[in-house]
Amino acid sequence: MKKKLISFILALQILFLAGCGNFPTASSMQRKVNTQGISDNYRTYYEVFVYSFYDSDGDGTGDLKGLTSKLDYINDGDDSTDSDLGFSGIWLMPIMPSTTYHKYDVTDYYDIDKEYGTLEDFQAFMAECDKRNISVILDLVMNHTSSKHSWFLEACEYLRGLDGKEPDESECKYFGYYNFSKEKKSEVYYPVEGTPWYYEGKFWSEMPDLNLENEEVRQEFKEICKFWLDMGVAGFRLDAAKEYVSDNASANIEILSWFNSMVKEEKEDAYIVAEVWTDADTYAKYYESGIDSVFNFSFANNEGTIAKTVKGGNDSYTAKTYGKAVENCKERFGQYNENYIDAPFYTNHDMGRSAGYYSGENSESQTKIAAAMNLFMSGTAFVYYGEELGMKGSGEDEKKRAPMLWSLDKNAEGMCKGPEGSDTVKMKYDSLQEQMENKASIYQYYKETIRIRNSYPEIVKGDTSLVEEISNDRICGLLKSYESLEEGQKEAEKKEILLVFNISEKEMEVDLSKITLNGREISSKSFRESLLTGETEAVLDGTKLSMPAYSVAILE
């Protein structure tokens, strides 16, 4: 009798689950994660400032050995584990010798800054990345050098010895490497002491601008790029590409076109992404150069589309307009280069950190869903180190580059001192040590978000369309379709998934009765998983999708 009663109760439970459509979410209907099988440039990059990441020798400064020791945190090379974040790429901020903590003023393009280690340390780091199928791109500073670079020092010494004569590049080729003038053309021209000459330094007097239209300079960078590509790097992040020739997009596009061709001749599948910090219609034109990616600034920062949408209260930035903006990327960028790879990002080393964008009781949930809105965009996505912990930092650049929060104990193993002044940043959330033990932490949310991204090629590579029928001020529906040829198939097959975002503090019900996916009407079986910021699950009952606050549902 007891056994019959138990069987009866189980049968009722099964019928109840089938009737209400409460199909398993993230835990049981997952696709296989894929980071070790990636062989192209559609990846998820982790931006690392080595100086503030992990210190291996106790001097308070992060270094390459420290970063190498923490690679398992970034990606352990095993898709069957869930202890790593799942990034498939690393963008290294400048690592070459420099006079500053940030190292954007290079003194030698062929070495590693001694604070970070040696070329041998870099080679060891690259070998470990290769084991994990992690692509590494280097921050390449071509707009300027340090004023202590030998090229600039020799050029200035030559000018001092002219004694009234006109310069001749056949006598000193380095004169042509920089933008020298006998006129102070603007406030960013600085005097060469002991001469009547000035030089351009767009960002700082100690960062003289290079003349990238000079063939000798281009030959220098051809050799520099070959050196690092031979070391195994996957490509380059190009700093300040808008300022190569300031206020001249056509000249900059030509320079990028040359650079792209030059690098691709050396490594056909190299990945190149440029920083062009301006409005979207302007940086879209830079795709004419043929480079793979241009950072998509319009979605980033405190005043970008993502943050303004999440904060709400602005009719110009609703869930629907966010979706429309995502959809428009293909037309905006594709008109200049059909092979473009979008580069969505949310924050970087020049911006205030995102945990500071939100306040109030929903601020943690808002911080979380904003990350999903970035990472669920198609293309090669970027995440700044520490965002996965909800680190804070704004104002001075040094505070935006604070030490990675491995522990709340500043003296714990590996903790860095960070740039001067960065230790005054007051963090809002716990360190990794505590967040690893908290299933509801921002860290765990980032891991889950990246896992979902790695599981669906439609998210990473798919064409995106706004689903108007279900989208409104709070709900955004994005249809993502991708045509792929899987192993064993003779013809490519187009697959679709539906992402539904509830970008609000209230539970919402979405009617999916007018939606079809992969040629089929929506049913309870269409539900795959959900990404949650609270304890309440998303539930699909037939065609009625119940979504808790600040959640994302994935249907197929």
Side-chain angles (χ1 to χ4, degrees):
M1 182 68 182
K2 187 176 181 181
K3 289 182 179 179
K4 289 182 179 180
L5 181 61
I6 292 172
S7 298
F8 177 71
I9 293 171
L10 287 172
L12 283 177
Q13 289 177 331
I14 292 169
L15 286 170
F16 175 76
L17 289 173
C20 71
N22 190 10
F23 279 80
T25 59
S27 61
S28 63
M29 300 188 74
Q30 302 173 0
R31 287 195 193 177
K32 189 179 186 301
V33 173
N34 177 33
T35 62
Q36 297 312 294
I38 298 174
S39 59
D40 57 23
N41 287 321
Y42 283 85
R43 291 177 178 262
T44 310
Y45 274 86
Y46 190 56
E47 181 191 355
V48 175
F49 181 40
V50 176
Y51 192 96
S52 290
F53 197 67
Y54 195 86
D55 172 24
S56 73
D57 56 14
D59 66 356
T61 301
D63 46 54
L64 288 172
K65 285 184 177 178
L67 174 57
T68 304
S69 72
K70 302 304 288 185
L71 282 177
D72 280 353
Y73 170 77
I74 298 169
N75 190 326
D76 64 7
D78 185 350
D79 283 341
S80 67
T81 65
D82 62 0
S83 57
D84 60 314
L85 284 165
F87 286 102
S88 50
I90 294 174
W91 155 22
L92 291 177
M93 288 173 63
I95 58 173
M96 299 166 193
S98 168
T99 67
T100 59
Y101 82 89
H102 53 70
K103 311 199 187 306
Y104 276 100
D105 55 330
V106 178
T107 59
D108 181 358
Y109 286 98
Y110 293 95
D111 205 353
I112 301 295
D113 191 285
K114 62 182 180 181
E115 286 191 302
Y116 290 173
T118 65
L119 281 171
E120 289 72 24
D121 294 334
F122 181 76
Q123 288 172 316
F125 163 74
M126 291 298 299
E128 291 301 316
C129 287
D130 187 56
K131 291 178 184 177
R132 296 163 173 79
N133 193 29
I134 298 174
S135 286
V136 177
I137 60 172
L138 297 186
D139 216 322
L140 186 61
V141 187
M142 291 201 305
N143 180 69
H144 50 261
T145 68
S146 167
S147 61
K148 300 299 188 292
H149 194 289
S150 61
W151 300 342
F152 188 69
L153 293 174
E154 288 196 38
C156 291
E157 189 62 28
Y158 171 70
L159 290 175
R160 291 188 188 98
L162 283 176
D163 194 25
K165 294 189 302 182
E166 287 300 306
D168 184 345
E169 287 185 44
S170 67
E171 295 177 346
C172 178
K173 66 178 182 179
Y174 299 117
F175 170 77
Y177 279 31
Y178 297 90
N179 300 318
F180 290 106
S181 172
K182 283 190 175 179
E183 299 177 33
K184 185 176 173 61
K185 294 183 176 181
S186 71
E187 69 278 0
V188 298
Y189 271 75
Y190 302 92
V192 179
E193 291 184 12
T195 79
W197 291 88
Y198 296 86
Y199 66 91
E200 184 182 21
K202 176 72 176 181
F203 291 100
W204 183 33
S205 62
E206 305 310 302
M207 291 178 172
D209 281 19
L210 285 165
N211 175 12
L212 291 172
E213 294 177 308
N214 180 292
E215 288 302 322
E216 293 277 1
V217 173
R218 293 189 177 191
Q219 184 61 34
E220 295 277 9
F221 277 102
K222 180 178 181 179
E223 294 172 12
I224 290 164
C225 290
K226 184 179 188 310
F227 176 83
W228 292 105
L229 291 168
D230 287 347
M231 285 276 187
V233 303
F236 303 97
R237 179 263 183 185
L238 301 180
D239 180 62
K242 184 172 73 73
E243 306 302 336
Y244 289 164
V245 182
S246 295
D247 303 316
N248 192 333
S250 296
N252 293 329
I253 290 168
E254 187 280 324
I255 291 168
L256 289 174
S257 180
W258 152 75
F259 184 85
N260 183 68
S261 298
M262 177 268 291
V263 169
K264 299 294 174 67
E265 284 176 9
E266 187 64 35
K267 179 178 168 58
E268 187 178 0
D269 62 346
Y271 177 65
I272 299 169
V273 55
E275 177 201 27
V276 184
W277 196 340
T278 183
D279 64 278
D281 287 336
T282 300
Y283 63 73
K285 296 176 183 176
Y286 278 69
Y287 276 110
E288 285 182 349
S289 66
I291 63 171
D292 303 284
S293 299
V294 179
F295 283 114
N296 201 341
F297 274 89
S298 66
F299 289 85
N301 214 345
N302 192 26
E303 294 299 311
T305 297
I306 290 175
K308 282 192 171 182
T309 301
V310 172
K311 282 185 280 191
N314 186 332
D315 291 342
S316 298
Y317 292 90
T318 65
K320 185 175 183 177
T321 55
Y322 156 77
K324 193 67 178 176
V326 175
E327 179 187 62
N328 287 343
C329 287
K330 181 177 181 180
E331 181 179 355
R332 172 174 274 153
F333 304 142
Q335 65 180 310
Y336 298 107
N337 180 357
E338 63 179 6
N339 297 315
Y340 83 95
I341 302 175
D342 192 12
F345 76 106
Y346 183 36
T347 65
N348 67 17
H349 58 280
D350 289 323
M351 300 173 175
R353 287 187 174 275
S354 65
Y357 299 173
Y358 312 106
S359 59
E361 62 179 347
N362 295 311
S363 59
E364 183 172 340
S365 295
Q366 291 174 319
T367 300
K368 289 175 177 177
I369 196 161
M373 292 166 70
N374 172 48
L375 286 163
F376 287 172
M377 289 178 66
S378 298
T380 295
F382 289 79
V383 175
Y384 187 37
Y385 82 96
E387 288 296 294
E388 76 275 16
L389 303 179
M391 284 175 57
K392 285 191 69 176
S394 60
E396 299 171 347
D397 283 346
E398 290 82 355
K399 293 181 179 180
K400 300 168 186 172
R401 304 161 190 178
M404 176 68 175
L405 200 62
W406 302 106
S407 171
L408 295 176
D409 178 3
K410 293 182 179 180
N411 297 315
E413 183 179 355
M415 286 293 292
C416 300
K417 63 185 179 184
E420 187 175 350
S422 65
D423 59 348
T424 62
V425 178
K426 186 177 181 181
M427 295 301 170
K428 186 174 181 178
Y429 300 105
D430 285 333
S431 74
L432 175 67
Q433 198 170 9
E434 292 78 30
Q435 291 199 35
M436 286 180 70
E437 304 302 319
N438 178 5
K439 292 183 178 180
S441 69
I442 294 174
Y443 163 74
Q444 300 290 0
Y445 184 91
Y446 261 88
K447 276 208 310 181
E448 182 67 5
T449 306
I450 296 168
R451 181 199 64 75
I452 292 173
R453 176 178 168 86
N454 289 337
S455 302
Y456 293 87
E458 295 91 341
I459 291 179
V460 178
K461 301 180 181 182
D463 288 335
T464 306
S465 302
L466 175 70
V467 183
E468 297 269 3
E469 295 89 338
I470 62 173
S471 298
N472 53 44
D473 289 355
R474 299 172 180 174
I475 296 294
C476 171
L478 293 179
L479 182 69
K480 307 202 78 171
S481 59
Y482 175 62
E483 192 172 276
S484 63
L485 183 63
E486 296 184 0
E487 189 175 349
Q489 290 182 328
K490 293 183 178 180
E491 294 184 2
E493 181 181 359
K494 183 179 180 180
K495 293 186 177 180
E496 299 173 330
I497 64 167
L498 175 66
L499 302 178
V500 185
F501 297 79
N502 178 6
I503 312 175
S504 76
E505 63 186 25
K506 297 181 179 180
E507 184 174 337
M508 303 290 290
E509 185 174 279
V510 183
D511 182 2
L512 301 176
S513 60
K514 297 180 180 179
I515 309 300
T516 59
L517 271 177
N518 298 300
R520 299 185 297 273
E521 293 182 351
I522 294 289
S523 71
S524 297
K525 294 180 180 180
S526 304
F527 193 90
R528 286 296 170 264
E529 51 187 309
S530 57
L531 185 62
L532 309 171
T533 58
E535 295 181 359
T536 306
E537 293 280 355
V539 176
L540 179 62
D541 182 2
T543 59
K544 302 295 183 184
L545 176 63
S546 297
M547 299 192 66
Y550 300 112
S551 64
V552 187
I554 298 97
L555 294 85
E556 189 173 38

